[in-house]
Amino acid sequence: MSCIKNRRADGSMSSSIIDDLKGDQSWRIFRIISEFTEGFDELSGLCDAISIFGSARLPPEHFYYQKTVELAEMLSKEGFAVISGGGPGVMEAANKGAILHDQPSIGLNIELPMEQKPNPYQNISLNFRYFFVRKVMFVRYSIGYVCMPGGFGTLDEFFEALTLMQTHKIYPIPLVLFGTDFWSGLMDWMKAKMMEYGTISEEDLALITVTDDPQKVVDIMVAHREWKDLQRKN
């Protein structure tokens, strides 16, 4: 069965239809390149940034929204820039905490049919149409990841970074899951089932830190920055 429509009775396609299809793909490539170019240009001078991920659905009165503001503020006091997905909820809290201390507060916004409304606490704001371009920006410009409680998008970013480190596609970065109540079930399952089936190793799990302590997160990121500074000098 063919998945190409607009064929002639003899099974061929008109040249105009083919040209239209080629044109659509070509323009898509140009849009992708333009997003990469804009992202690299805007963030090229950025260093020592921490990406904070989490749910767009948590309101300001939620415990983890408030903890995110606290954590982002503590990181900014230590001279870290903060990157979020630019939307509401935990993303807003991350940008809010960062901007309180006049550090770069970056929002990597994505076009979505719902939930993604840019928050007002970004002093560097980028807009993306393509998730994979946006992911490259997170990985390229972050020296650490913090995952607050979130949904599929947060899990996506978490496992993306974990896979890249496991396969040695990127240098190791701190990967912190904040909120033992939220994340302990996932960690227990990974230890019980993935380890049991042999699909991961203990070394893989060692890449992850789970905590409820904002100061521990800051200490981890500061120690990693010191290590990274040594690598830069060598």
Side-chain angles (χ1 to χ4, degrees):
M1 182 179 71
S2 173
C3 63
I4 302 177
K5 298 180 180 180
N6 299 310
R7 288 188 178 274
R8 294 193 179 113
D10 61 0
S12 65
M13 291 183 67
S14 68
S15 60
S16 62
I17 294 296
I18 293 174
D19 289 341
D20 286 344
L21 291 173
K22 286 182 177 178
D24 288 344
Q25 297 304 313
S26 297
W27 279 111
R28 183 174 296 172
I29 291 170
F30 284 128
R31 287 196 298 266
I32 292 168
I33 292 172
S34 71
E35 288 197 0
F36 276 119
T37 302
E38 181 182 7
F40 291 145
D41 284 347
E42 289 291 327
L43 302 177
S44 60
L46 188 66
C47 63
D48 299 338
I50 307 300
S51 285
I52 299 179
F53 303 96
S55 175
R57 303 183 185 187
L58 301 188
E61 61 271 18
H62 196 283
F63 172 79
Y64 283 114
Y65 180 106
Q66 296 169 10
K67 277 294 178 183
T68 304
V69 175
E70 178 186 349
L71 174 59
E73 188 174 0
M74 292 171 67
L75 289 168
S76 68
K77 284 181 180 178
E78 291 290 339
F80 290 103
V82 172
I83 305 175
S84 86
V90 167
M91 294 175 280
E92 176 184 289
N95 290 129
K96 184 177 182 179
I99 211 166
L100 288 174
H101 290 279
D102 200 30
Q103 287 295 332
S105 178
I106 300 106
L108 304 183
N109 299 272
I110 187 76
E111 295 178 14
L112 295 174
M114 59 180 181
E115 291 187 348
Q116 182 70 16
K117 180 181 179 182
N119 71 69
Y121 301 105
Q122 308 168 48
N123 51 32
I124 298 176
S125 183
L126 293 169
N127 295 294
F128 295 92
R129 181 171 181 174
Y130 299 102
F131 267 111
F132 64 90
V133 179
R134 183 178 182 241
K135 284 185 177 182
V136 169
M137 300 303 152
F138 278 121
V139 172
R140 173 65 181 83
Y141 293 103
S142 302
I143 67 167
Y145 272 23
V146 181
C147 295
M148 307 298 286
F152 292 148
T154 302
L155 289 171
D156 182 39
E157 299 291 355
F158 166 66
F159 282 113
E160 175 88 10
L162 194 56
T163 302
L164 290 171
M165 287 192 287
Q166 181 201 47
T167 55
H168 303 287
K169 292 297 184 181
I170 62 172
Y171 291 110
I173 62 172
L175 183 57
V176 179
L177 301 179
F178 192 95
T180 55
D181 177 66
F182 185 85
W183 293 108
S184 59
L186 174 64
M187 293 300 298
D188 290 344
W189 175 80
M190 291 170 67
K191 293 173 183 176
K193 289 302 174 184
M194 298 181 84
M195 288 288 294
E196 176 188 339
Y197 278 74
T199 56
I200 61 170
S201 65
E202 289 186 16
E203 291 78 12
D204 298 328
L205 288 177
L207 296 169
I208 307 165
T209 300
V210 185
T211 186
D212 293 308
D213 183 2
Q215 186 60 53
K216 183 175 181 179
V217 179
V218 174
D219 292 344
I220 288 170
M221 298 305 173
V222 169
H224 182 70
R225 180 173 60 187
E226 292 172 354
W227 173 86
K228 197 170 183 64
D229 285 341
L230 290 175
Q231 311 312 307
R232 291 166 180 159
K233 293 176 183 177
N234 295 333

